[in-house]
Amino acid sequence: MILTVTLNTALDITYRVRSLRPHASHRVSEVTERPGGKGVNVARVLAALGHEVTVTGFTGGATGRVVQERLASVPGVAEALVPVSGATRRTIAVVDEQTGDTTQLNEPGPMVTPTEWSAFQEAYEDLLPSASAVALCGSLPPGVPVGAYAGLVRTARAAGVPVLLDTSGEALRRGVAARPDIIKPNADELAELTGSHEPLRATQDARRRGAGAVVASLGPEGLLAATREGRWRATPPTSVRGNPTGAGDSAVAGLLSGLVEHLSWPDRLIRAVALSSATVLAPVAGEFDRATYEELLGRVTVTGEASAA
């Protein structure tokens, strides 16, 4: 079982409009709702790849109940969310059908009390013995300590479970110091962490700060990885245009599935880039078309070299 942690779960709502214009009224042509938050998106993709996944994090209020109900219908995904008194947030994506561009609105999430945070930590520790890997994903809801991910990384490492961290800002800076096996920042998050806007130098610096491997998302230019085994860059065959929501989460799913399947780093990166690109091309946020993904697998380019033995 792969465990994904989404402390700030969400109900993702996608509106499609013919053309998005400021200060105008719009007729919505299509609405979709689905459980969201980065770790939930990761879990959905992992399940589609054939892995058993457990989702944990927080849930609360009427929105939280909808998230739980929708998760119950996702094959291969088990739900182990911890209740809070506040309401689970919503995220709104508005897709402009003429341009393909997406406008995103993200609510902050519920206030988590110290008692609720302690309850989550206990639930997390109980789940780890059954986990082959864990992903810690996304933002921290109000009330959760900024060093929360660092503590969760240490707990996973103490249990002998490899851990991937995908967050940003101070939560990432503190989390890296706890020595996660993998971090997956985007270019801006990596620059904020290291102070360097040169990706190769920044990935190396992030490894020196504690990360076992650093996989930086470079948007349409693919992924750059600095690992103990070597350094590689994986590039999609063409620039893809569409809804980027969930694309980074699909990349995380590719990296995690490759980890538990013991794939080489180049093969993990190929899978991650193909999944990410297929997700951008999908009409619904966080989805991917299997045929598109499999076609892209053979067209992702990887360059780089393994470290000397």
Side-chain angles (χ1 to χ4, degrees):
M1 177 269 286
I2 299 175
L3 178 64
T4 72
V5 174
T6 311
L7 296 178
N8 215 0
T9 54
L11 180 65
D12 287 343
I13 303 170
T14 302
Y15 296 128
R16 299 184 69 86
V17 299
R18 180 173 177 80
S19 176
L20 182 61
R21 305 180 309 280
H23 317 298
S25 177
H26 297 78
R27 185 177 297 277
V28 176
S29 60
E30 183 181 354
V31 181
T32 58
E33 293 185 351
R34 60 186 302 156
K38 293 180 72 63
V40 174
N41 295 336
V42 171
R44 187 183 297 109
V45 175
L46 284 169
L49 293 173
H51 291 273
E52 292 187 0
V53 194
T54 296
V55 171
T56 190
F58 294 113
T59 183
T63 304
R65 288 192 293 275
V66 173
V67 168
Q68 289 178 288
E69 291 168 0
R70 298 288 176 88
L71 277 175
S73 65
V74 180
V77 176
E79 176 261 302
L81 296 170
V82 176
V84 294
S85 57
T88 295
R89 67 190 178 126
R90 296 162 298 177
T91 67
I92 311 297
V94 184
V95 180
D96 185 316
E97 294 177 336
Q98 286 190 346
T99 65
D101 292 335
T102 301
T103 299
Q104 192 81 19
L105 303 172
N106 297 329
E107 296 179 357
M111 175 64 69
V112 176
T113 68
T115 300
E116 291 165 343
W117 173 235
S118 295
F120 170 79
Q121 290 174 288
E122 292 178 7
Y124 176 72
E125 291 181 17
D126 289 343
L127 289 165
L128 280 175
S130 301
S132 57
V134 59
L136 307 174
C137 302
S139 60
L140 300 176
V144 172
V146 71
Y149 281 136
L152 298 180
V153 169
R154 294 188 187 99
T155 301
R157 288 180 58 82
V161 181
V163 56
L164 183 153
L165 177 62
D166 183 15
T167 188
S168 60
E170 184 66 11
L172 175 60
R173 189 184 71 80
R174 297 198 186 192
V176 167
R179 307 185 70 81
D181 295 89
I182 306 171
I183 64 171
K184 195 215 69 66
N186 62 33
D188 290 339
E189 292 162 351
L190 186 62
E192 182 181 5
L193 173 66
T194 65
S196 174
H197 290 272
E198 200 289 304
L200 181 58
R201 179 182 300 174
T203 54
Q204 294 169 332
D205 183 45
R207 284 205 64 218
R208 286 192 290 269
R209 291 169 185 256
V214 180
V215 182
S217 174
L218 306 180
E221 297 179 12
L223 297 174
L224 177 66
T227 78
R228 295 183 183 93
E229 291 82 3
R231 302 189 193 102
W232 293 275
R233 183 164 184 165
T235 308
T238 57
S239 178
V240 295
R241 188 177 182 85
N243 186 350
T245 304
D249 306 325
S250 290
V252 168
L255 296 172
L256 267 184
S257 61
L259 170 67
V260 300
E261 294 173 30
H262 307 291
L263 298 183
S264 68
W265 267 107
D267 285 342
R268 296 184 207 180
L269 296 170
I270 288 171
R271 179 179 290 182
V273 169
L275 282 169
S276 179
S277 298
T279 300
V280 171
L281 292 170
V284 178
E287 291 282 4
F288 75 94
D289 176 71
R290 186 81 188 203
T292 301
Y293 157 63
E294 292 177 351
E295 188 270 336
L296 288 167
L297 273 175
R299 300 173 59 207
V300 175
T301 301
V302 178
T303 58
E305 59 183 6
S307 300

